[in-house]
Amino acid sequence: MTFSALGLADTLLQSLETLGYKTPTPIQQQAIPAVLEGRDLMAAAQTGTGKTAGFALPILHTLATDGIEVGSNSVRALVLVPTRELAEQVHASFRQYGEHTGVSTYAAYGGVSINPQMMRLRRGVDVLVATPGRLLDLFSQNALKLNKVQVLVLDEADRMLDLGFSRELYAVFAALPKKRQTLLFSATFSDEIRSLAKARLHNPLSIEVSPRNSTVKAVKQWVVPVDKKRKTELFLFMRKDRKWGQVLVFVKTKRGADELVGLLLAKRIKADAIHGDKPQPARLRALESFKAGEVQILVATDVAARGLDIDDLPQVVNFDLPIVAEDYIHRIGRTGRAGAAGEAISFVCADEAPLLAAIETLIKQTLSRDEEPGFEPDHRVPLTGAAAVPKKPKKPKVAGGRAGKNTPRNWVGFDEAPKRPGNRPTSRPGGISRSTGKKAQNQNRSGGR
Ligand code: AMP
């Protein structure tokens, strides 16, 4: 199949030729005709599948050919994304694809001055890519009217809800015209997303390009059990030993990101961080330097790294496991793009076992463990997944089960005896329950990332 067979305008085909896109990806093959027909869409697609072009191309085609002029302070296509970085990235895609179409595009997000955005919107804009908070600010200050929106795209809808944007989303829905096209993209589909889709989408076409909640196949993933205090040392060792080139490293907190970058810089390793406390220009600079190969190690928190489009990245290291299991899928989606081989390595310490178990439950796969000689943990990481299931289930002789009833299903606690005498696990079996995890997650959202 070719792009021209999909009926896209010549002006778009010209850009695709320049970009070297030859064949539509599976999601593009399904999404483009449906969006051109005017259908609502509910698409399960991970980053790296080409989903952006899947919605951008048909939207640009329609806007370029329907002969409707955008009014002042109006928008014809609204694309909502969870983060500033993704807003920049999606906007850049619209600009590239639409270069010869005459369709105007703009990105508006928080963390930068609102005045230039208000000024630009006066003339109206065909495609506005925005984060929900800033969009509502612009709307409430009358810089923007939403009653002429023809198409709404919710990109990474799961992430927007994770970040607590549901109030903003419902406020946006209330301001939109009832008659419109709605396209919802999400890597994972929770019950909340499904009920949002049920209420706001009209007879949507469901597209699923890879099994729900699955991880990218081309990525080789494994776990290195290690004591928490030795993670930095392990990272430095593996980087040298395996001759890693550029690595994207995920950490749990902003402080953790800054500390790791400080340590790497002290060792004269070119590193930079992106996290929520860094001003937007600094984040973009870090990303650009990483893409240009000037920075070797980019250390990121989940929020900041969401949706990063970095091509040919062979190595992702989860220095800390994510608190929200779904983030694991997004993290490792940075590598193994467009079928390229990639490696995602997770450094897991004993008290992260419940997080590991939750990830393994989500991806329906037990990650293999490979201890690094010389870094075998003193605090054993409890078995998870299939390995944790005893071969012959017997009734426990002693009362007081190991896992708390709220721990993820496949986590059974400290089944493995400590290797050497005197070594004790750092946390009690079942010590981190789901509810504790939730609390940590909330704290993380409010300021941790
Ligand atoms: P996305 O999933 O939208 O983030 O896209 C992932 C990457 O694939 C981006 O770098 C796109 O430029 C690239 N891409 C998207 N569609 C195609 C295509 N049909 N052929 C080649 N590359 C593509």
Side-chain angles (χ1 to χ4, degrees), residues 220-260:
K220 187 176 166 224
Q221 317 160 53
W222 81 92
V223 162
V224 184
V226 62
D227 282 334
K228 191 188 275 179
K229 60 177 189 300
R230 297 196 69 196
K231 283 187 175 185
T232 309
E233 205 186 328
L234 173 66
F235 178 76
L236 291 169
F237 172 81
M238 287 187 81
R239 177 180 175 268
K240 204 164 169 190
D241 188 58
R242 317 267 161 123
K243 300 187 177 55
W244 286 343
Q246 283 194 297
V247 191
L248 179 60
V249 182
F250 283 96
V251 293
K252 208 157 38 190
T253 62
K254 301 175 213 174
R255 216 177 100 196
D258 285 337
E259 277 173 8
L260 184 57

Side-chain angles (χ1 to χ4, degrees), residues 10-182:
D10 286 346
T11 44
L12 291 167
L13 298 178
Q14 199 184 335
S15 304
L16 295 178
E17 179 144 9
T18 313
L19 289 166
Y21 290 15
K22 294 208 163 50
T23 357
T25 64
I27 184 134
Q28 291 162 4
Q29 290 182 23
Q30 295 179 65
I32 294 172
V35 180
L36 287 174
E37 259 178 46
R39 282 199 71 168
D40 281 5
L41 214 65
M42 183 164 141
Q46 301 159 2
T47 31
T49 53
K51 69 181 165 72
T52 316
F55 61 80
L57 291 171
I59 289 176
L60 285 163
H61 175 94
T62 306
L63 298 184
T65 54
D66 67 4
I68 303 174
E69 291 246 325
V70 69
S72 54
N73 294 101
S74 276
V75 171
R76 298 174 66 207
L78 175 63
V79 184
L80 287 180
V81 295
T83 64
R84 303 156 190 185
E85 279 79 9
L86 192 58
E88 281 286 354
Q89 201 170 289
V90 169
H91 178 229
S93 298
F94 267 100
R95 272 220 324 243
Q96 280 181 325
Y97 305 147
E99 193 188 345
H100 310 291
T101 59
V103 172
S104 60
T105 63
Y106 189 60
Y109 42 78
V112 293
S113 169
I114 197 167
N115 289 339
Q117 297 177 353
M118 294 172 90
M119 300 265 285
R120 171 61 190 89
L121 288 172
R122 272 188 206 159
R123 278 182 280 139
V125 58
D126 289 313
V127 180
L128 178 66
V129 185
T131 50
R134 179 52 61 97
L135 182 89
L136 272 191
D137 283 350
L138 289 161
F139 178 70
S140 59
Q141 297 191 39
N142 296 323
L144 185 66
K145 290 184 276 190
L146 294 174
N147 58 346
K148 294 278 192 268
V149 170
Q150 299 165 222
V151 193
L152 168 73
V153 181
L154 300 175
D155 193 14
E156 306 209 343
D158 48 347
R159 189 53 167 188
M160 284 197 271
L161 295 182
D162 271 355
L163 291 175
F165 280 134
S166 63
R167 196 190 60 82
E168 283 84 352
L169 288 188
Y170 285 104
V172 172
F173 277 122
L176 290 172
K178 288 252 165 343
K179 194 172 169 306
R180 57 155 202 271
Q181 188 177 17
T182 309

Side-chain angles (χ1 to χ4, degrees), residues 314-331:
Q315 209 72 49
V316 165
V317 170
N318 293 315
F319 195 88
D320 301 312
L321 283 185
I323 302 228
V324 182
E326 279 85 357
D327 280 339
Y328 179 82
I329 296 172
H330 299 303
R331 287 179 176 194

